[in-house]
Amino acid sequence: MAAADERLRRFLQPDHALHARRTWQARGAADTPGADALCEIYLAIADEQIVEAAFAAYGPPIVVACADWLCEQLGGRTIAVMRGLSEADLQAALALAAEERYAGMLVFDALQDALANLET
Amino acid sequence: MAAADERLRRFLQPDHALHARRTWQARGAADTPGADALCEIYLAIADEQIVEAAFAAYGPPIVVACADWLCEQLGGRTIAVMRGLSEADLQAALALAAEERYAGMLVFDALQDALANLET
Amino acid sequence: MAIYLDHAASTPVRPEVIEHMGAVMSEQGANPASAHQPGRHAGAVVAAAAAAVAALIGAAPEDIIWTSGATEAINLALKGVLEFHGGGHVVSVASEHRATLDTLSWLERRGVRVTRLGVDAAGRVDASAVAAAIEADTRCVSIMHVNNETGVVQDIAAIGAVCAEHCVALHVDAAQSLGKLDLDVARMHIDLLSLSAHKMGGPQGAGALWLRPRIGLAAQIHGGGQQGNRRSGTLAVAQVAGFGCACSLAQAEMAALPAQLRALRQRLWQELAVIDGVLCNSPVQDSELGAPHILNISVPGVHGAALLTGLLEGTPALAVSAGSACSAARAESSHVLRAMGRTPAVAAASLRFSLGRTTTKNDIELAAARTRTEVARLRALAPRQLAVPA
Amino acid sequence: MAIYLDHAASTPVRPEVIEHMGAVMSEQGANPASAHQPGRHAGAVVAAAAAAVAALIGAAPEDIIWTSGATEAINLALKGVLEFHGGGHVVSVASEHRATLDTLSWLERRGVRVTRLGVDAAGRVDASAVAAAIEADTRCVSIMHVNNETGVVQDIAAIGAVCAEHCVALHVDAAQSLGKLDLDVARMHIDLLSLSAHKMGGPQGAGALWLRPRIGLAAQIHGGGQQGNRRSGTLAVAQVAGFGCACSLAQAEMAALPAQLRALRQRLWQELAVIDGVLCNSPVQDSELGAPHILNISVPGVHGAALLTGLLEGTPALAVSAGSACSAARAESSHVLRAMGRTPAVAAASLRFSLGRTTTKNDIELAAARTRTEVARLRALAPRQLAVPA
Ligand SMILES: Cc1ncc(COP(=O)(O)O)c(C=O)c1O
Ligand SMILES: Cc1ncc(COP(=O)(O)O)c(C=O)c1O
């Protein structure tokens, strides 16, 4: 029940939606094969540390909830620590059902893409 | 509706059930093929006139109603007039359905039997 | 007002149930299949009702399939199992309710083979006869718990053990026993159980089929896919809630109601036993063999239709029923009594008195007195050779 | 409390109906099949209800067969006609309700041939297409009056004339039109008509099949032989009475209610039409083509499941439904909208608002405002390339 409430809250009132109040150092995107869900992750970075992360997303509510959860985890972490973050954590935190796993993969794919963009 | 009421009244409270308050000059009986209904007609006769008629019956309610109706018709009639009485009158008076005609035939058969017994 | 002793045909809805249904209808307007909040509230009402029904039969709520009554449940059980298996063989009993017998005839016309076991003079079927009738492709044994005409109780636990041993699904028609006799699907080895609400204080038009998990069943009403695709059609939330409410009330009274009914029925039989020649078609002597609420008698020497009409239309009017209101000559007398070996004439002159929670001692005494009077009147009307009981 | 705009899924039972059903349950405890006085009283209640339902469709009361809802009625109509004829061919339409489509698929697996006609962009089927599809052994044409997702109205009178000319029975699913549009079985040449009570103020779990005399129909639920052997099972007297009561009330309001609903729906559309790119899937322009109570829209560029969840769970909560809550990617979007030629993505992003007798102008305005806000929120959340409608 707690996970269900959290999922709903993150969908209805995400704290980490993309905004224009700062410039972002990296942007990554991913989509699902059927293109029914899209996710972008934006990172603001200073001194090897993520100052803030934000997302834009199109898809079922669980996609928004996953993106919001991920951005919350990212804020304040060093890039090294962040690399240790796993999909399993997300699955556990939001109690993803088997048919919802794609949402977790999607937001992590977007994050990987952002990191790749950062490195280049 | 009137006929339905009359049928029910004659079954529940027949006026002409057999009683022992007088002697009867003739008795006739009839039954249905399956023996599921039986009727006896009793006649008390004086001066070629039927003083009173009564019945005994076993069978569905309609048999009792028909017997009661017939006995009422018979009372006070001369034997000659009585012979003019027909099953059609009974069918009309009690609104017999096709599957109830047997009851009319049954009581008239019992009457014929009584008249035959009278003549011998 | 007629003296109502036809509770086995339908018993009045309990006031608590009427009130609950009214509240549900006033507060819950939604379709329980809907994802929105009002829909989920309606769904919660259904879930609570499922828990109440399931508790009364020792089952899990999720295995309840709601139907429009026991007739539909029985049709679903028998057609559903046989369609799932693509045909086969069924074992049942000659004295079952029409819902079973007519469904089996329908299946027979489609190639299903049906064995209809006979019953003994008390109306019981033997578990060993069931065992002997099971064939290699027997898909289902279908037996009623309590007979609706005589109240005779079948030994479901023994039959269930036989079915379990042979790995054949057992379907039980419990329309007349729910809330009157203990029902435990695990202990009795039942696989499918048909229930009806209106025989035990719930609303007419509500019933259920309980289905043991993993029993294969093909749906019989197709459409929106409600109830896990086992029975389509919008759920009747208030009906289901009323059924659940009646089950909760019944469960609380299981300790007292059967004994109360049994005592009244015993009293009724005492008062009717004085009728010359009267026969009892219900097992009144042995309280294990007879359901508490049904007393079936035959009155030889009195025409069945006349007796019934006399009681129904006389004063005070009784509301009772006949095994069959039809005449013996037309060979339409009760198939149940004939299966028990009664002659057509005796079967035709039968009366069923059935008692309910609201039945009083006064009802019983008035009904017995009225019956005695009517029998005496009809016997007096009959020709001499019939005046003594046949 | 959610703003309830899902009356096409189920509309609240009218207070008069609840009261009437409570009175019937309190006063009538008997089985209407019983010969005794309480049974006859129950039978009279049923007869009065049949008269009320029949009056609303221009039919005779004795031709009403009571069922547990439109789903059962549709199953009975289609299976009953095809079983009676021992197979054959059926003509129907791709955008029918699941109760029709799934029953036809079941029949197809048993050798019945089915033609499913397409519809135009508005969702209408052409009477000439029906005529062209009729074959020598066509037993039945089955078409819904009002589509439950879009509200589009089929020209039943024209289709009925075609069927009459070809001597083929016409079955109409009127679950969504009863009490909202004129229904006249004679004028429209209807032979079988499926009805549901809970879409028009009656109880859930009550419905009827009206059957033109002399149309051959095989029963689908077997048993006690109630309803002239056409549908067995104890009649649910209170349910039937509630349905009858709802029909009487509806008949008195037929002059006013449709116009009232139509005006509210028009208002709702005006308030939603300002959404960038919004598409209307209901024929709002032509009042002949659309039922008064249904408005279906698609909002491109917004994910359907997100929009629905946002509306259902946000504040104030709306109770609306989607043509389908499933995602376009899984190709499970509304079969109705896809039959009308909408892309899967557009079909997946659809919302159905359905209005009822109790809907107020305030409901409409709040719902429209809430929808606009939610669409704006979700569009703002979406990646740039999607921020403009697709
Ligand atoms: C033993 C038995 N089975 C089945 C039924 C049918 O139940 P329902 O009236 O709920 O269809 C009844 C009652 O009519 C019954 O007594
Ligand atoms: C057009 C249509 N047909 C049939 C049905 C099924 O009706 P019921 O819920 O009474 O089974 C519905 C509603 O679900 C409907 O909208």
Side-chain angles (χ1 to χ4, degrees):
Chain A
M1 244 12 304
D5 287 349
E6 179 176 346
R7 292 154 59 129
L8 202 51
R9 178 183 60 73
R10 288 191 184 280
F11 167 63
L12 294 175
Q13 292 169 333
D15 290 323
H16 306 280
L18 182 64
H19 57 80
R21 293 186 302 277
R22 71 160 84 237
T23 32
W24 305 91
Q25 275 70 46
R27 169 189 171 281
D31 61 14
T32 47
D36 194 37
L38 286 170
C39 180
E40 289 178 349
I41 297 287
Y42 292 81
L43 303 175
I45 295 173
D47 302 330
E48 290 288 295
Q49 180 143 0
I50 298 174
V51 181
E52 186 182 351
F55 74 93
Y58 165 90
I62 193 64
V63 168
V64 174
C66 286
D68 193 56
W69 181 90
L70 180 61
C71 291
E72 182 171 300
Q73 305 302 313
L74 298 176
R77 302 211 179 192
T78 64
I79 291 181
V81 170
M82 177 192 73
R83 287 189 194 277
L85 205 65
S86 88
E87 256 177 75
D89 301 326
L90 169 52
Q91 281 173 25
L94 297 188
L96 295 191
E99 70 275 15
E100 294 171 332
R101 299 266 160 89
Y102 79 92
M105 289 163 59
L106 176 70
V107 300
F108 271 90
D109 283 355
L111 174 60
Q112 294 310 329
D113 189 47
L115 293 175
N117 292 339
L118 182 66
E119 277 152 279
T120 59
Chain B
M1 249 3 314
D5 288 348
E6 180 177 345
R7 292 153 60 128
L8 203 51
R9 179 183 59 73
R10 288 191 185 278
F11 167 63
L12 294 175
Q13 292 168 334
D15 289 323
H16 305 281
L18 182 64
H19 59 80
R21 291 186 304 277
R22 73 159 83 234
T23 31
W24 306 92
Q25 276 69 47
R27 170 189 171 282
D31 61 15
T32 47
D36 195 36
L38 285 169
C39 181
E40 288 178 348
I41 297 286
Y42 292 80
L43 303 176
I45 296 173
D47 302 329
E48 291 288 296
Q49 180 145 0
I50 298 174
V51 181
E52 187 183 351
F55 74 92
Y58 167 90
I62 193 65
V63 169
V64 173
C66 286
D68 192 55
W69 180 90
L70 181 60
C71 291
E72 182 171 302
Q73 304 303 312
L74 296 176
R77 298 209 183 197
T78 63
I79 292 182
V81 169
M82 177 192 72
R83 288 189 193 276
L85 206 65
S86 88
E87 257 178 74
D89 300 326
L90 169 51
Q91 281 173 23
L94 297 189
L96 296 190
E99 69 275 15
E100 294 170 334
R101 297 268 161 88
Y102 79 93
M105 287 164 60
L106 176 71
V107 299
F108 270 89
D109 283 355
L111 173 60
Q112 293 311 325
D113 189 45
L115 292 176
N117 291 340
L118 183 66
E119 279 151 279
T120 58
Chain C
M1 278 290 292
I3 299 169
Y4 193 77
L5 290 173
D6 202 14
H7 292 268
S10 205
T11 196
V13 189
R14 298 183 63 156
E16 303 92 323
V17 171
I18 298 176
E19 197 179 317
H20 183 57
M21 289 176 67
V24 167
M25 284 194 273
S26 301
E27 288 155 26
Q28 312 283 347
N31 191 322
S34 297
H36 46 61
Q37 290 172 9
R40 295 197 301 264
H41 288 153
V45 171
V46 172
V53 175
L56 195 51
I57 59 172
E62 55 272 21
D63 302 324
I64 299 280
I65 305 173
W66 304 106
T67 67
S68 62
T71 298
E72 187 197 329
I74 292 166
N75 274 258
L76 172 56
L78 295 175
K79 295 177 189 172
V81 166
L82 273 291
E83 180 181 327
F84 180 85
H85 287 286
H89 175 243
V90 182
V91 176
S92 191
V93 181
S95 52
E96 293 293 303
H97 188 269
R98 280 271 151 234
T100 297
L101 295 179
D102 289 8
T103 300
L104 291 177
S105 299
W106 186 88
L107 285 167
E108 245 172 349
R109 290 196 296 277
R110 274 149 196 80
V112 169
R113 287 171 7 268
V114 178
T115 299
R116 293 172 186 80
L117 299 173
V119 294
D120 63 18
R124 299 251 296 182
V125 65
D126 208 80
S128 65
V130 173
I134 291 175
E135 304 182 11
D137 67 342
T138 302
R139 307 304 185 198
C140 183
V141 169
S142 185
I143 301 206
M144 69 205 311
H145 192 189
V146 167
N147 185 280
N148 52 305
E149 291 191 22
T150 65
V152 70
V153 180
Q154 303 295 351
D155 187 351
I156 298 298
I159 295 166
V162 161
C163 292
E165 190 185 313
H166 290 77
C167 294
V168 171
L170 172 63
H171 168 243
V172 173
D173 169 2
Q176 291 293 349
S177 62
L178 185 69
K180 307 234 169 49
L181 298 183
D182 279 334
L183 266 172
D184 184 323
V185 293
R187 185 177 60 76
M188 294 172 148
H189 301 285
I190 297 170
D191 297 299
L192 303 101
L193 185 71
S194 287
L195 305 173
S196 181
H198 75 102
K199 313 284 191 188
M200 44 83 72
Q204 295 171 329
L209 178 66
W210 171 81
L211 182 72
R212 183 179 294 284
R214 283 187 298 282
I215 295 286
L217 187 86
Q220 296 301 310
I221 295 186
H222 304 93
Q226 290 88 349
Q227 307 200 59
N229 246 322
R230 297 174 301 186
R231 202 287 198 180
S232 289
T234 303
L235 272 180
V237 179
Q239 291 279 98
V240 156
F243 190 9
C245 180
C247 285
S248 298
L249 293 167
Q251 188 143 39
E253 293 160 2
M254 276 301 282
L257 181 68
Q260 171 192 328
L261 295 175
R262 210 176 284 283
L264 286 169
R265 190 193 58 163
Q266 216 59 29
R267 172 77 192 218
L268 178 60
W269 171 235
Q270 273 165 19
E271 301 247 332
L272 292 172
V274 301
I275 295 173
D276 217 7
V278 68
L279 295 173
C280 188
N281 299 315
S282 299
V284 274
Q285 313 307 344
D286 184 336
S287 71
E288 290 296 293
L289 293 187
H293 64 306
I294 297 178
L295 178 69
N296 188 308
I297 63 168
S298 287
V299 188
V302 169
H303 193 279
L307 180 55
L308 190 69
T309 305
L311 295 177
L312 265 45
E313 308 300 339
T315 309
L318 301 193
V320 296
S321 72
S324 162
C326 310
S327 76
R330 281 182 247 150
E332 284 169 11
S333 55
S334 158
H335 70 284
V336 175
L337 298 184
R338 280 181 291 123
M340 289 161 61
R342 301 287 188 274
T343 65
V346 167
S350 75
L351 283 180
R352 178 185 72 179
F353 299 86
S354 56
L355 285 49
R357 224 181 40 81
T358 52
T359 303
T360 62
K361 193 149 154 281
N362 191 41
D363 291 339
I364 294 296
E365 282 163 7
L366 283 171
R370 179 77 194 88
T371 305
R372 289 192 308 260
T373 308
E374 187 63 17
V375 168
R377 178 181 89 86
L378 292 173
R379 285 183 171 167
L381 270 186
R384 279 299 126 80
Q385 73 257 43
L386 274 167
V388 251
Chain D
M1 277 290 292
I3 299 170
Y4 193 77
L5 290 173
D6 202 12
H7 292 269
S10 205
T11 195
V13 188
R14 298 183 62 158
E16 303 91 321
V17 171
I18 298 175
E19 198 179 316
H20 183 55
M21 289 176 67
V24 167
M25 283 193 274
S26 301
E27 289 156 23
Q28 313 283 347
N31 190 322
S34 297
H36 47 59
Q37 289 172 10
R40 295 197 302 263
H41 289 152
V45 171
V46 172
V53 175
L56 196 52
I57 60 173
E62 55 273 20
D63 302 325
I64 301 279
I65 305 173
W66 304 106
T67 67
S68 63
T71 298
E72 187 197 328
I74 292 166
N75 274 258
L76 172 57
L78 296 174
K79 296 177 188 171
V81 166
L82 272 291
E83 180 181 326
F84 180 85
H85 286 287
H89 175 244
V90 182
V91 177
S92 190
V93 180
S95 53
E96 292 293 303
H97 188 268
R98 280 271 152 236
T100 297
L101 295 178
D102 288 8
T103 300
L104 291 177
S105 299
W106 186 87
L107 285 168
E108 247 173 345
R109 290 196 296 277
R110 272 147 197 82
V112 169
R113 288 172 5 269
V114 178
T115 300
R116 292 173 187 77
L117 299 173
V119 294
D120 64 19
R124 299 252 295 182
V125 64
D126 208 79
S128 64
V130 173
I134 290 175
E135 303 182 11
D137 67 342
T138 301
R139 308 301 185 200
C140 183
V141 169
S142 185
I143 301 206
M144 71 206 309
H145 192 191
V146 167
N147 186 280
N148 52 307
E149 291 192 21
T150 66
V152 70
V153 180
Q154 302 296 352
D155 187 350
I156 297 298
I159 294 166
V162 162
C163 291
E165 191 185 314
H166 290 77
C167 294
V168 171
L170 173 62
H171 168 242
V172 173
D173 169 2
Q176 291 292 347
S177 62
L178 184 69
K180 308 234 171 46
L181 297 181
D182 279 334
L183 265 172
D184 184 323
V185 293
R187 185 177 61 75
M188 293 171 147
H189 302 284
I190 297 170
D191 297 298
L192 304 100
L193 186 71
S194 288
L195 304 173
S196 183
H198 75 102
K199 313 285 192 189
M200 43 84 72
Q204 295 172 329
L209 177 67
W210 172 82
L211 182 72
R212 183 178 294 285
R214 284 186 296 282
I215 297 284
L217 187 86
Q220 297 301 309
I221 295 186
H222 304 94
Q226 289 89 347
Q227 307 201 59
N229 247 323
R230 297 174 302 188
R231 202 286 197 180
S232 288
T234 303
L235 272 180
V237 179
Q239 291 280 98
V240 156
F243 189 9
C245 179
C247 285
S248 297
L249 294 167
Q251 187 143 39
E253 293 160 2
M254 276 302 282
L257 180 69
Q260 170 192 331
L261 295 175
R262 210 176 284 283
L264 287 170
R265 189 192 59 163
Q266 217 59 29
R267 173 77 191 218
L268 178 61
W269 171 237
Q270 273 167 21
E271 301 247 333
L272 293 172
V274 300
I275 294 172
D276 219 6
V278 68
L279 296 171
C280 187
N281 299 315
S282 300
V284 274
Q285 314 305 343
D286 184 336
S287 71
E288 290 296 293
L289 294 188
H293 63 306
I294 296 178
L295 179 68
N296 188 307
I297 63 169
S298 286
V299 188
V302 169
H303 193 278
L307 180 55
L308 190 68
T309 304
L311 295 177
L312 265 44
E313 309 299 339
T315 309
L318 301 192
V320 296
S321 73
S324 161
C326 311
S327 76
R330 281 182 247 148
E332 284 170 11
S333 56
S334 159
H335 69 283
V336 175
L337 298 183
R338 281 180 290 122
M340 289 160 61
R342 302 287 189 272
T343 64
V346 167
S350 73
L351 285 179
R352 179 185 70 178
F353 299 85
S354 55
L355 286 50
R357 224 180 41 82
T358 51
T359 304
T360 63
K361 192 151 156 281
N362 192 42
D363 291 338
I364 294 296
E365 282 163 6
L366 283 171
R370 179 77 194 88
T371 306
R372 289 193 306 263
T373 308
E374 186 64 18
V375 168
R377 179 180 90 86
L378 292 172
R379 283 183 172 167
L381 270 186
R384 278 301 125 80
Q385 73 258 43
L386 273 168
V388 254

